[in-house]
Amino acid sequence: MPRRGLILHTRTHWLLLGLALLCSLVLFMYLLECAPQTDGNASLPGVVGENYGKEYYQALLQEQEEHYQTRATSLKRQIAQLKQELQEMSEKMRSLQERRNVGANGIGYQSNKEQAPSDLLEFLHSQIDKAEVSIGAKLPSEYGVIPFESFTLMKVFQLEMGLTRHPEEKPVRKDKRDELVEVIEAGLEVINNPDEDDEQEDEEGPLGEKLIFNENDFVEGYYRTERDKGTQYELFFKKADLTEYRHVTLFRPFGPLMKVKSEMIDITRSIINIIVPLAERTEAFVQFMQNFSESNFHNYTLVSLNEEFNRGRGLNVGARAWDKGEVLMFFCDVDIYFSAEFLNSCRLNAEPGKKVFYPVVFSLYNPAIVYANQEVPPPVEQQLVHKKDSGFWRDFGFGMTCQYRSDFLTIGGFDMEVKGWGGEDVHLYRKYLHGDLIVIRTPVPGLFHLWHEKRCADELTPEQYRMCIQSKAMNEASHSHLGMLVFREEIETHLHKQAYRTNSEAVG
């Protein structure tokens, strides 16, 4: 293939050179043909009869010179146009050859090469054809259905709530709001500027003017995402004084995979400084140190403070106590159980000046409730399982984090004005969200929050006390176990009635 391309390039070069020589020859012949006679036998006007003056010949020569210049300019323009056409043809042939090479090599996705617009459009249409937009898909059961979420201009009604999301999201998160605003504007563009194949008739307003829809005419919409195809949007618009709705279907197909970067990361020499603030929790500290020692970690330093406990203050002191330069820090609580694999995740997802890591912890419920059918709860190591009735992802907690010391100091550390329980971790998290660093937020299987009884002190502010009580309730047991506890008296009454009825029938 490279030899054929070289031959094509050589031919194009010689063709261009030949064309230029040909045009020059035509111009030269034209000049010879139009030049005045210089034969010795010819007589010049004005020499014999002296009827023409000098000004006449000067004007005649000037006219011929202008004519030749105009002709030369025209020929140069034609030559330049031919050059451009040859160059465009050469580019098209090279692009076609590259596409053939890509097909021959069997590459199934585009890397950093540009894809022809027609091919890209064809791909996007194929994504729509594969998605469940125009025709229903055959599903094995009701569990295969991808549900929609509905929305209005101000709200999103979300089906998958988890433990902290509400069935109605208001205000809507910024990235989602921007997405939906863009979709509504696109729907209005479709309605107000319809194509010939759109199934709608032009309507007129009360004064005969063209009917224009705006965002206030948006009634409701639905959207859902098929992860390997794209996002489907169903939009409905209606004028207050009309009975008909306008329905627009939009689809945002995903493009082909593109490589961003490929790199190697060596974590063998990456030291982690684990900082744990502590006050009074002696038994929990013994459990933590046992886990710490079993993981083959033995070096630790105790920094004692003779003052009222403040978590943010303790972490600040621990971070500044390290005097050996840059280091990766893991802010941890004494009731956290972590694995060596988690520490590797900590190293991989934090990078100085670029990324901080905020893992989502799996929080264990009260073992006395989870294992109520057993005489005693199993050892802690056997409780570390990811099940609905054993715990939940603490997606509202931001206390466990991995970040480099330089980034922590640059951003200003914790807010020392926050006193008592809760709040300081959220303030630090918001600082990073408002900065330039990437925040990695994801569930991590090797990080567990062990259950312990919470005490909400009276000296807390009303907001802190509310947060403490809410956290205490959510950490106790799953919804089903809590429901059984709430209705325990009703269940026992039912069992007594059943037993009494059975005994009565036996006696009768």
Side-chain angles (χ1 to χ4, degrees):
M1 292 297 179
R3 182 178 180 84
R4 292 181 58 188
L6 180 60
I7 294 174
L8 177 60
H9 178 74
T10 303
R11 289 179 177 176
T12 304
H13 176 76
W14 283 110
L15 178 60
L16 182 61
L17 182 59
L19 182 60
L21 292 175
L22 178 60
C23 293
S24 300
L25 181 60
V26 171
L27 176 61
F28 181 73
M29 293 177 64
Y30 182 85
L31 293 175
L32 290 178
E33 181 180 356
C34 298
Q37 297 290 334
T38 58
D39 187 11
N41 297 326
S43 61
L44 293 175
V47 174
V48 178
E50 297 183 354
N51 295 327
Y52 299 94
K54 180 180 179 181
E55 291 79 10
Y56 171 80
Y57 294 108
Q58 289 180 343
L60 181 62
L61 290 173
Q62 180 68 27
E63 180 180 359
Q64 290 181 350
E65 183 178 357
E66 291 177 355
H67 176 74
Y68 296 149
Q69 289 179 353
T70 302
R71 181 60 178 169
T73 302
S74 176
L75 291 173
K76 289 180 180 179
R77 185 168 56 251
Q78 294 178 27
I79 292 173
Q81 184 177 358
L82 290 172
K83 287 182 179 180
Q84 183 178 359
E85 291 177 358
L86 285 172
Q87 184 177 0
E88 291 176 353
M89 184 177 298
S90 178
E91 291 291 336
K92 289 181 180 179
M93 294 183 67
R94 182 162 57 250
S95 176
L96 179 61
Q97 188 63 47
E98 289 177 354
R99 289 170 53 190
R100 288 179 178 176
N101 292 339
V102 171
N105 293 332
I107 298 177
Y109 68 95
Q110 296 290 339
S111 56
N112 59 347
K113 295 182 179 180
E114 293 185 357
Q115 189 178 26
S118 59
D119 290 349
L120 179 58
L121 187 60
E122 182 180 350
F123 168 80
L124 297 179
H125 281 295
S126 69
Q127 290 291 90
I128 300 176
D129 294 337
K130 290 186 293 185
E132 191 180 354
V133 177
S134 301
I135 187 172
K138 296 182 179 179
L139 303 175
S141 67
E142 68 274 19
Y143 300 107
V145 175
I146 301 176
F148 284 88
E149 292 190 348
S150 61
F151 64 99
T152 63
L153 286 175
M154 302 299 298
K155 302 177 182 178
V156 172
F157 303 93
Q158 47 201 11
L159 183 61
E160 299 179 0
M161 296 183 299
L163 287 172
T164 59
R165 296 176 66 192
H166 299 283
E168 175 186 297
E169 183 179 1
K170 180 185 179 182
V172 182
R173 199 176 61 199
K174 183 180 183 304
D175 61 332
K176 187 186 298 183
R177 182 178 69 250
D178 292 344
E179 173 196 5
L180 298 180
V181 167
E182 178 189 3
V183 168
I184 293 174
E185 290 176 351
L188 290 171
E189 179 67 22
V190 171
I191 293 178
N192 293 327
N193 300 283
D195 295 330
E196 294 180 358
D197 55 348
D198 288 340
E199 298 180 358
Q200 65 180 58
E201 298 179 0
D202 293 337
E203 294 184 78
E204 296 181 351
L207 301 179
E209 75 281 6
K210 180 182 178 181
L211 196 61
I212 300 297
F213 285 77
N214 56 51
E215 64 177 14
N216 295 325
D217 300 320
F218 175 71
V219 180
E220 62 180 2
Y222 309 98
Y223 73 95
R224 67 175 179 181
T225 299
E226 294 183 65
R227 298 185 184 276
D228 60 339
K229 300 178 183 67
T231 304
Q232 173 185 353
Y233 304 92
E234 303 290 341
L235 310 176
F236 297 88
F237 300 83
K238 180 181 179 297
K239 287 286 187 182
D241 53 347
L242 298 179
T243 58
E244 296 181 348
Y245 287 80
R246 293 292 182 90
H247 173 214
V248 177
T249 300
L250 301 175
F251 196 83
R252 191 194 301 272
F254 298 145
L257 293 174
M258 298 183 67
K259 182 180 72 175
V260 177
K261 68 176 181 178
S262 178
E263 61 180 352
M264 295 181 62
I265 302 177
D266 184 8
I267 62 174
T268 56
R269 298 182 180 180
S270 179
I271 298 176
I272 298 182
N273 188 9
I274 303 174
I275 305 177
V276 183
L278 179 66
E280 299 179 355
R281 303 281 305 281
T282 307
E283 293 183 2
F285 183 65
V286 171
Q287 174 68 47
F288 179 86
M289 291 304 299
Q290 181 180 355
N291 171 36
F292 192 77
S293 301
E294 289 177 356
S295 302
N296 296 323
F297 301 107
H298 306 287
N299 299 326
Y300 60 90
T301 301
L302 178 63
V303 180
S304 179
L305 298 177
N306 187 19
E307 57 186 57
E308 182 182 359
F309 175 75
N310 182 297
R311 183 177 184 273
R313 163 73 174 158
L315 291 173
N316 261 337
V317 171
R320 298 177 187 276
W322 179 271
D323 57 359
K324 300 177 183 179
E326 183 70 292
V327 69
L328 176 59
M329 304 184 303
F330 170 36
F331 292 160
C332 184
D333 287 343
V334 71
D335 44 30
I336 292 295
Y337 185 102
F338 59 86
S339 65
E341 289 75 15
F342 162 73
L343 295 179
N344 289 337
S345 299
C346 185
R347 294 182 175 100
L348 292 172
N349 289 287
E351 186 174 353
K354 293 185 178 180
K355 295 187 295 185
V356 294
F357 185 40
Y358 272 86
V360 179
V361 182
F362 192 79
S363 187
L364 298 178
Y365 291 132
N366 187 347
I369 298 177
V370 176
Y371 304 99
N373 58 343
Q374 302 181 22
E375 293 183 2
V376 293
V380 172
E381 291 75 11
Q382 298 181 17
Q383 299 179 26
L384 305 179
V385 292
H386 301 94
K387 293 184 178 180
K388 185 176 181 180
D389 288 334
S390 63
F392 66 99
W393 291 110
R394 186 187 286 261
D395 58 348
F396 57 86
F398 307 97
M400 309 309 112
T401 172
C402 298
Q403 55 197 270
Y404 276 85
R405 185 174 183 269
S406 59
D407 295 329
F408 177 76
L409 297 179
T410 299
I411 208 169
F414 287 99
D415 185 357
M416 294 294 95
E417 298 299 323
V418 180
K419 305 294 183 181
W421 185 92
E424 79 289 333
D425 51 353
V426 180
H427 283 79
L428 181 65
Y429 184 70
R430 289 171 180 168
K431 283 185 179 181
Y432 280 118
L433 293 180
H434 297 160
D436 296 329
L437 273 65
I438 300 173
V439 177
I440 307 297
R441 178 75 168 161
T442 181
V444 177
L447 195 62
F448 292 86
H449 179 271
L450 304 180
W451 180 88
H452 61 87
E453 185 175 0
K454 282 185 174 293
R455 185 185 69 86
C456 298
D458 293 335
E459 56 268 20
L460 295 177
T461 65
E463 177 64 17
Q464 289 178 324
Y465 192 83
R466 184 192 65 80
M467 293 172 58
C468 184
I469 291 296
Q470 185 181 36
S471 177
K472 182 176 182 178
M474 298 183 68
N475 280 272
E476 197 67 18
S478 65
H479 289 178
S480 59
H481 279 148
L482 288 177
M484 296 297 289
L485 291 175
V486 170
F487 298 106
R488 179 171 55 186
E489 182 178 349
E490 183 176 337
I491 294 173
E492 291 178 353
T493 301
H494 174 75
L495 292 177
H496 285 307
K497 290 182 179 179
Q498 287 291 101
Y500 176 77
R501 184 178 306 168
T502 302
N503 294 333
S504 300
E505 292 177 354
V507 173

